[in-house]
Amino acid sequence: MSAAKICVVGSINADLTVNVDRHPTPGETLLGSGGGITAGGKGANQACAAARLGAPVALVGAVGTDSNAIPATALLREAGVDLTHVEEVTEVTGLAVITVAANGENTVQVVPGANALVDADFVSRHAEPVEAAEVVLLQGEIPADGFARAVELAKGRVVINLAPVVDVPREALLAADPLMANEHEAGLILDQLGYDSTGTPEDLARRLKDAGFASVVLTLGAAGALVVEGDALTHIPSPQVEAVDTVGAGDSFAGAFCARIIEGDTLVEASTYACRVGAFSVTRPGAQPSYPTAADTLPGA
């Protein structure tokens, strides 16, 4: 059986990053800089974030035979992520084209590539690490039936960060404990479930809990996070830092959160730590390259 306490079932991408002074308007061409390929994909990012903090992590996913597969997995290997269950397939490696403005805000366009093959049959072939994990972490960048099959196989805690928000089976989504989402994603998930998606972040977090989730973690960027468990809503502040690049910050939060959950932290404790990791990540460029190791000093108390 796998020794990994966390199993991430998700996407692996090569990130093509372009830096601009500001985001272009429709039809506008701007000159930028960068153009290098780095490791990305929400599944890979979250696996890397947890592993760099010392958590034992296995990743279930797919890459292509193209040259982008090498940089897409380099930092995962360096972090010690178990890649035994990452298949090499004939599709191209997933590609994310990221535009980062001078103020740190980013836009991302994703070509799924090999990630589109991580369906129910694929996940079933790699059931062992999913069944063995204490925490199974999922996102929205693989097919819905692959997502649902991972939930079905999981014997441990299921943490779902449905980003991007895609249609997945309702019963699989409601297995999340917690559901993790940012404010925008929370509204889309409420729409998907047939609930009112307006109101304050606190309204959205409580409404998600009322929709049937065991617990909810709502991330608020520089404003921190909200945790709803039982009848309690707790606001977690984030350390204030000067943001350089917000790409992958939410993924660093998710990975760090799971790294602390397997150590026995409460949702509030894990979210507090994850806010500090997320704040660290935005002070450096890129997604996986910006994530701290266990030896790094995090901002905040």
Side-chain angles (χ1 to χ4, degrees):
M1 298 293 285
S2 173
K5 293 186 176 182
I6 299 171
C7 180
V8 180
V9 183
S11 58
I12 304 168
N13 287 339
D15 285 356
L16 170 62
T17 302
V18 178
N19 299 293
V20 293
D21 288 336
R22 58 175 176 79
H23 290 295
T25 58
E28 181 182 18
T29 299
L30 294 178
L31 292 178
S33 61
I37 296 288
T38 57
K42 297 195 72 65
N45 287 352
Q46 294 177 9
C48 186
R52 290 186 74 156
L53 293 168
V57 183
L59 177 60
V60 174
V63 294
T65 58
D66 55 292
S67 60
N68 282 343
I70 296 173
T73 56
L75 291 180
L76 293 168
R77 296 180 192 281
E78 182 182 296
V81 175
D82 179 356
L83 300 180
T84 306
H85 299 277
V86 172
E87 280 191 29
E88 190 176 85
V89 298
T90 55
E91 258 288 2
V92 297
T93 301
L95 178 67
V97 180
I98 301 165
T99 305
V100 183
N103 65 0
E105 290 300 319
N106 66 85
T107 62
V108 185
Q109 296 83 44
V110 176
V111 178
N115 299 312
L117 302 182
V118 186
D119 58 12
D121 289 340
F122 184 104
V123 174
S124 294
R125 290 199 302 273
H126 301 282
E128 182 266 319
V130 182
E131 293 174 333
E134 293 180 15
V135 172
V136 175
L137 176 57
L138 295 160
Q139 316 78 32
E141 289 186 338
I142 62 170
D145 64 335
F147 175 102
R149 181 58 177 152
V151 172
E152 184 180 18
L153 290 168
K155 293 179 169 55
R157 185 175 206 146
V158 175
V159 178
I160 294 175
N161 174 217
L162 193 64
V165 177
V166 294
D167 286 331
V168 295
R170 186 186 186 100
E171 62 276 12
L173 181 58
L174 289 173
D177 184 15
L179 172 75
M180 187 179 295
N182 63 28
E183 187 175 354
H184 174 69
E185 292 157 357
L188 293 175
I189 293 168
L190 285 166
D191 283 337
Q192 186 177 123
L193 295 175
Y195 285 79
D196 179 14
S197 60
T198 62
T200 66
E202 291 78 8
D203 292 335
L204 299 180
R206 289 193 182 279
R207 205 169 295 133
L208 284 168
K209 180 67 169 58
D210 292 342
F213 292 102
S215 59
V216 175
V217 175
L218 189 63
T219 59
L220 304 172
L226 297 172
V227 177
V228 183
E229 188 175 22
D231 294 327
L233 184 150
T234 305
H235 177 252
I236 311 295
S238 174
Q240 296 305 294
V241 296
E242 185 174 346
V244 171
D245 182 356
T246 60
V247 171
D251 295 332
S252 73
F253 182 103
F257 176 90
C258 291
R260 293 311 310 166
I261 287 294
I262 64 170
E263 295 298 325
D265 278 13
T266 65
L267 298 190
V268 168
E269 291 168 340
S271 297
T272 301
Y273 179 78
C275 278
R276 297 177 64 199
V277 170
F280 181 100
S281 77
V282 303
T283 64
R284 299 182 178 190
Q288 293 176 36
S290 74
Y291 297 161
T293 69
D296 285 312
T297 300
L298 301 176

